[in-house]
Amino acid sequence: MGKDGYEKVEKKSKDKKGKEDIDDLKKELDMDWHKITWDELCTRLETDTTKGLTKAKYEEVFKREGPNRLTPPKTTPEWIKFCKQLFGGFSTLLWIGAILCFFAYGVQTTKYVEPPKDNIYLGVVLTFVVIVTGIFAYYQEAKSAAIMDSFKKMVPREATVIREGETSVINAELLTLGDLVELKGGDKVPADVRIISCSSFKVDNSSLTGESEPQSRGPDCTEDNPIETKNLAFFSTNAVEGTARAIVISCGDNTVMGRIASLASSLANDITPIAIELEHFIHIISAVAVFLGVVFFFLALILKYEWLEAVVFLIGIIVANVPEGLLATVTVCLTLTAKRMAKKNCLVKNLEAVETLGSTSTICSDKTGTLTQNRMTVAHVWFDEKIWECDTVPGEKNRNFDYNDATCKDLIRIASLCNRAVFLTGQDDKEILNKECQGDASESALLKCVELVLKDEGSNTLQFREEHKKVVEIPFNSTNKYQVSVHELPGGDQNLLVMKGAPERILQRCTSILMNGEVVDMPEDSEYRNKFNEAYEKLGGMGERVLGFCHCYLDKEQYPIGYEFDNEEINFPLEGFTFVGLMAMIDPPRAGVPDAVAKCKSAGIKVIMVTGDHPITAEAIAKNVGIISKESHTLESLAKSLGKSPDDLTDSDKEKVNAAVVHGSKLKEMEENDIDKLLEDHEEIVFARTSPQQKLIIVEAFQRAGQIVAVTGDGVNDSPALKKADIGIAMGIAGSDVSKEAADMILLDDNFASIVTGVEEGRLIFDNLKKSIAYTLTSNIPEISPFLFFIMLSIPLPLGTVTILFIDLGTDLWPAISLAYEKAESDIMKRKPRDPLGDRLVNERLISVSYGQIGMIQASAGFFTYFVIMAENGFRPVRLIGLRKDWDDQDFDAVEDSYGQQWSYADRKILEYTCHSAFFVSIVIVQWADVIICKTRKLSVFQQGMTNWVLNTGIMFETCLAAFLCYCPGMEVALRVYPLRIWWWFPAMPFSLLIWIYDEIRRYLLRKNPKGWVEKETYY
C-alpha cells in the first residue's frame, strides 16, 4: 500500500504522477482510505484532523505530488486529421489513379511529339476530386477530441482549506494530499476526501454512479466498496446540502474521476464497420483493376505492341476501373443521412457512425435518464388495503383513485404539509411533472403528485399550505428516519401533527389505522400490519422507494392554538398516531421506451441494461420496459416461483433460466471466460451496481463475441464505455460534456426511442449505399470494354477518357446520390442485424450483377450504337478490326472505308469523337433503367413506386446534361464532344428496356423462391 492509498499505482515520471496503463485502469478501485483508523490515516499523510497540514509539510507534498488537476492527453494536430481525410481509405485509390495518369502521360511524352492530353486531364480531375471531397469530409467531421477539456470544466475553482489551524480560500489546484477542507451545500468537492465530521451532508453522485437520489455522507465506513461507502466524497461531485469537514486522500489523476478521465482518453477509436466495408471494397476494385491490367498488358505484348504502349494500356485499364465519383457519392450520402437523423433528434458527430448504428447487434443502455425520465415520480399509493396507480407521464392520466375518499384526502394532506419542496417560479407553461422544484428528489416527487390531485379539485399546494399554517417542524435526519410538522387546521380551533418517513419506523409509532375514513385500532398482532407488510414488500419488489404517512389530531386542551411547541426538547407526542397510507416513488420509464425495446428485439438487437443503480430497481425498470420479458425467468425469480432456494434448483430447472441480473460485486469476481459464458447463456441481462471500469469490460466482452455494440450514457462514469463502443450515444439534455465528447452520436431529446429511428436510418443508408455502388459500378463495364476492344481488336477507340469523366463526375453523380433518398423496404426492421463477416457492402454477388450481367448489356448498347454510326459513315464492323494503327497515324490521310472512300486524319477524328459522344449518350440511356432497378434489392418497382422525386429529377438532369454537352456550341473544340443526329439516341433504348425487364424477372424469382439459386447467386 503506497502513500496514495492505492494497491497498484506506480510512479512513471519523476516530477508528476504518470498514468497507469489501460489494463491497470480497467481494474477495480483497490484502496483502504475509508477503512483505516484516523491515527493510521494521519500518520500516513502526516496531517492533523483539526489543524491540517503544516505549511512546510504542504510545500514538500505539493512539490512531490504536483497540482490537483487532470493531465491532458496528447491531441492529434488538425493537419494530421486533415491528411487522414485526404489520404485515408477510398482516397488512396484515387491518388494511386492520379499518380498513374501522370506517369502514363510522362511515358507518352517520350514517345510522341504531341502526346494525347487524356491522361493529364484525368490525373488533374482525380486530384481535384480527392482534394475537394477530403476538405468536405474534414469539415463535416471537424470535432473537438478534447475529452479532457470537459473534465477541466468539472474541476472546482476554489476550495476552503485549513492549514496550521488557519482557514483560507484557495484555488483548488493548489490542494494536496492531507489537506483539511471544509465543504458546504452548493460546492463542488475539490478532491477525493474522507469525511471527518458532517451535518446533514449530501452529495450528488449521479455523474459517477448513475444514482438520481442525493447520497447522505457520514464519518463511518459503511461498505468495503469505496464508491458505496458513506465516509468518502469524490472529486467534482456536487455537495447538495449540509456541511462537512474532510481530509484530502487523492488529487488530480489519482482521484476516481481522474482514473476515469485517463481511461477514457487512453482508449483508441476502433475502425468503424463502414470504414471496414469501404476498405474491403477498395481491395476488390483494386484486385479486379490489377488483374485486368496485367492480363491485357501481356496480351498487348503478345499482340506485338511496344512495351511502352503496353505500359500505357496497363495504366489506362487500372485507372478506368477507378469509380471517380463514388468517393463523393458515399460522403454526400452519409451527410444527407446525418442531416435527416438530426431532424429526428439524433446528432451524428462522426459521419461513419451513421451506418454503424444500423449494424448494431447489441445496445448497452444506461438506465437513469435514458430508459427513465431522470426524475423521481410517485408511481403508486396504498390506502384502504389497495394499491392505486398515479400519474407518471406528463400529459397522461393514469390515476385510478378518487380524492374524495376520506382516507385519500388525509394522505394527500399529509404529503402536502409534511413537505419542504416548492416549485420554482416562472414555470406556468410547463406540465406539472416537468416543473423544476427546490427540494430533494423524494419531496419534489410528492409535491408534484399532490399538485396534480389538488389541481383537479381547483386548488394548489401553495394555497393548501397557507390554509394549514405550520407551527413547528422536525426535519428528516438519517438517525430518526422521519419528518414531523404540526399545523393549525382551517378554522383555527385545533392542531394537526403530520409525519412521514421510513414505513417500518412510521408503523412502529402508530396504534391505529385509517380505513375508509374510519379510525380502526391496530394492535401488534393486527391483520392490518400483515397487509401493510405485503403491500410494502410488493412495492419494494417493484424497485420503488416507499414512504409511510401518519397523522394525529392533537388534544385541543393540552395543545391549544398558540401552544409553544419546541423541536429541540420535544414537548409534544411522537407516537400513538393513526397510520394513513404509503406512497411509492420510482424514476419511471419514458413513454416510448417499451415500444422502442420491442422494435429492437424484433430487429434482432439485444438490449442490455448497464446501471450503477440498485439491482431491485434495475430489474423492475427492465421488466417495465421489456428488457426482461414477462415470460423470462432469472435464477432468483424461477426459484421463488417453484418455492425453492436458488441453490436447490436442478439442472433441468436451470435450463429454463434465460435472463440474469448481475451485481457489480459478482462481476468483479468473474474471469473473462465466465463473462463470455454469461453473455452466451442469457438473452436478457441487467448489470446493476456497475463501476465505470466494469461498463468497459462488459462492452469488450460483447465485442469479443463478434457483436457490434452501441452504448448509451450521460454521466462521466459512462465515458470509457462510450469511447470503446462501436458507437457511443450520449444524452443531449442531461448528458455531461464529457460523455458528449466521448460519444459518436448525441440524442438531442435524451430518449431511447430515438435510437430505434437511428437504427432504421443506419440500416437504410447501408442498403442505399449498396444500391448507389451497384449503380455506379455497372457503368464501369461500358467504360472499360471500349479500351479492351481498342487493344484486342485494334479498332478505333469507341469511348474517350473525357467522356468517361462526364459519366462518373457528371451524369452518374446525381442519380447515385438520389438513391440515398430511397425509402426503406418493408422488412428493414424485421431483419436480423447485419453480419459484419457475411453481409458485406460490396460482395461477389454485387460484382457479378453489376459487372457480369447489367454491365454487359450496357456495354452491348454502347457498341451497337458505335457500330451503327460507323456503318452509316461507311465503316462496317469487319473493316474496323485491325484499323487502329492507320486510323491514329497523323501523317496518313488515305484510310479507306468499306466503300473505298478515303478519310483524312481530321475527318477520321471528327467521326471518332462523334462515336465517343454517341457511346456516352448510350450509357446515359441504359443508366436510366439501371437507377430504376437499383431502387430496390428485392421488391418490384411497382411495389416500391416512383415517389423518390430526387431520383426522378436525377434522371431528367442526366439526360439534359448529356444533351447540353452534345449540342452546346463550342463543345467540339473545348471538350471534343460532337453533336449527334437525333436518331442516334434511339439504338440504346431497347437495351435499356431489356435491363429493366431482365431485373424485374430476377427480383420476381427472388421473391418467389426465397433462399433459392437466384438468391444465392444474385441477391446482393
Side-chain angles (χ1 to χ4, degrees), residues 254-279:
N254 273 336
T255 60
V256 172
M257 217 57 100
R259 288 168 64 87
I260 296 171
S262 300
L263 187 55
S265 61
S266 59
L267 291 168
N269 281 323
D270 292 333
I271 188 167
T272 59
I274 193 70
I276 292 168
E277 292 306 317
L278 289 173
E279 193 176 312

Side-chain angles (χ1 to χ4, degrees), residues 48-60:
D48 185 87
T49 55
T50 54
K51 293 184 178 180
L53 292 171
T54 64
K55 289 179 180 175
K57 190 67 195 172
Y58 165 74
E59 295 291 344
E60 178 194 327

